[in-house]
Amino acid sequence: MPTNAPPKAQQLQQSRGTFPWFKLSLGLVVAIAFWQSWAWWRWAISPGENATQTVQLVIPEGTGTAQIGADLAALGLIRSPKAWRIWVKWLRLTERDGSLKAGTYQFSPNQDLPAIAQQIWSGETVKTSITIPEGWSIRQMAERFEALGFFPAADFIKATQTIPREQFPWLPEGLTSLEGFLFPDTYFLDTAQPTPAAIIEQMLRQFETVALPLYDAETVPLELSLAEWVTLASIVEKEAVIPEERPLIAGVFINRLGEGMRLETDPTVEYGLGIRQTKEQPLTLEQVRTPNPYNTYLNEGLPPGAIASPGLASFRATSNPEATDFLFFVANYDGTHVFSKTLAEHEAATQRIRATVESETE
């Protein structure tokens, strides 16, 4: 039966003529879509609208990826939170050991999204340095942290009364405070309100690394325990001003402990009373006779704990005191001391120094 349909040969010829155009159109669509996606991606990871100035961002602990991206976008640091999420997923696939870290970050002008992400992934936070001098007490540290606006002094003092023996099993049992174990050094702290616990951990880590290896229970004089070693070193730290005198001062204290004599050292009285004597206002007889656990004029042996944070030199001097026959010393008020073997020599030296001071103040 005749039909109006074109012959098969004609249909085949028509299909062959249109197929190349179809492939070309499809390829063009794919190319355009790819180009548009690539153009969007390049735009999305380029520096944000606020890329002309330095910007800080605080990322609190526990902040999620999406929230960080939203915060970055709100500050004009990145252009697309979606691109941010894509890039972070890529980091998690390629750098599995890292993570986005909390802290205070400072971003430079013209940083693009990958650079910002890498900075947060690596934890390159803004740091502030603080130096804790040798011989400072926990109270002095606490007051410094409060002055810097970190937290109230009372919060730090309270935190040092919790002994983290699970984290630092070498800490002696029976401690009521970490006095003496917070190593004096320069520390770099995250400016995003560092916590007392975080600072304490840093300082204990430094003690563990620097000071603890100097303690040897088998060779330390008088078989001092770790707590006793730290306590004696803290007294040496407070008494010694001239570095060369530290081993000699330690030797005098070791001699007195070995002879069963009271240490009779002013810094322990000052610590117990919470005061500090000066050349113009030395300790009074009433203060020296005031009972407290730290008063080594009234109590035998070492006080119940350290009175300051010793530095390395004082730890070394306590581990290796100078062999000497001296049993007494008195401060010259210029940093040096006069050392004596007998009580009579010591009293004579004390009288000479007091007479000199009185003549200078008249």
Side-chain angles (χ1 to χ4, degrees), residues 45-356:
I45 67 171
S46 63
E49 297 174 357
N50 192 21
T52 59
Q53 57 184 324
T54 299
V55 178
Q56 280 196 358
L57 171 65
V58 178
I59 301 177
E61 197 73 42
T63 305
T65 301
Q67 184 60 55
I68 295 174
D71 293 340
L72 291 169
L75 290 171
L77 292 168
I78 64 173
R79 296 178 180 275
S80 170
K82 180 180 178 180
W84 166 261
R85 294 192 296 271
I86 293 172
W87 191 268
V88 171
K89 287 181 179 179
W90 172 253
L91 285 175
R92 286 179 176 143
L93 288 172
T94 58
E95 300 185 27
R96 296 184 180 181
D97 293 337
S99 64
L100 298 175
K101 298 176 178 64
T104 300
Y105 292 88
Q106 182 167 291
F107 303 106
S108 304
N110 294 314
Q111 268 188 276
D112 58 15
L113 186 150
I116 291 173
Q118 190 62 50
Q119 185 174 339
I120 300 175
W121 190 264
S122 302
E124 298 172 17
T125 56
V126 176
K127 302 288 185 181
T128 183
S129 64
I130 179 172
T131 298
I132 303 299
E134 297 171 351
W136 267 24
S137 67
I138 283 176
R139 181 167 295 279
Q140 288 174 295
M141 297 177 200
E143 291 171 351
R144 178 67 182 280
F145 293 139
E146 181 176 84
L148 290 171
F150 289 166
F151 37 70
D155 290 358
F156 185 76
I157 293 173
K158 182 178 180 180
T160 63
Q161 294 168 354
T162 297
I163 314 303
R165 294 197 71 253
E166 291 185 2
Q167 192 175 8
F168 301 97
W170 49 265
L171 283 169
E173 294 186 10
L175 290 181
T176 59
S177 168
L178 292 171
E179 190 79 88
F181 291 91
L182 303 181
F183 192 77
D185 208 336
T186 296
Y187 293 93
F188 293 90
L189 310 175
D190 189 339
T191 57
Q193 296 298 314
T195 64
I199 294 177
I200 288 170
E201 181 180 351
Q202 270 191 274
M203 300 183 80
L204 287 176
R205 291 284 180 206
Q206 190 68 350
F207 183 98
E208 183 179 54
T209 302
V210 178
L212 190 59
L214 298 178
Y215 176 73
D216 187 338
E218 295 182 1
T219 61
V220 71
L222 304 179
E223 298 181 348
L224 295 172
S225 68
L226 176 59
E228 292 170 335
W229 179 68
V230 172
T231 297
L232 183 55
S234 73
I235 298 174
V236 172
E237 183 67 52
K238 296 300 290 184
E239 284 283 14
V241 178
I242 306 301
E244 295 77 13
E245 288 188 350
R246 276 193 177 87
L248 185 54
I249 289 174
V252 172
F253 286 138
I254 290 296
N255 287 347
R256 293 181 71 88
L257 289 171
E259 294 288 334
M261 301 172 65
R262 294 189 182 96
L263 293 182
E264 297 183 349
T265 172
D266 289 0
T268 61
V269 177
E270 296 175 58
Y271 184 84
L273 296 178
I275 61 175
R276 183 179 180 182
Q277 68 172 325
T278 64
K279 180 179 178 181
E280 293 73 26
Q281 291 185 319
L283 289 175
T284 65
L285 187 59
E286 179 183 0
Q287 289 169 332
V288 171
R289 290 178 175 175
T290 301
N292 73 72
Y294 287 86
N295 189 331
T296 54
Y297 282 93
L298 301 178
N299 306 315
E300 296 181 355
L302 290 164
I307 62 173
S309 292
L312 276 181
S314 293
F315 280 125
R316 290 193 178 105
T318 305
S319 290
N320 298 286
E322 184 173 327
T324 180
D325 294 329
F326 292 133
L327 289 170
F328 307 89
F329 62 84
V330 59
N332 265 321
Y333 290 103
D334 63 356
T336 63
H337 294 79
V338 176
F339 295 85
S340 305
K341 296 179 181 179
T342 67
L343 180 59
E345 292 175 351
H346 174 64
E347 290 178 340
T350 301
Q351 291 297 326
R352 288 197 306 271
I353 292 171
R354 286 178 178 171
T356 302

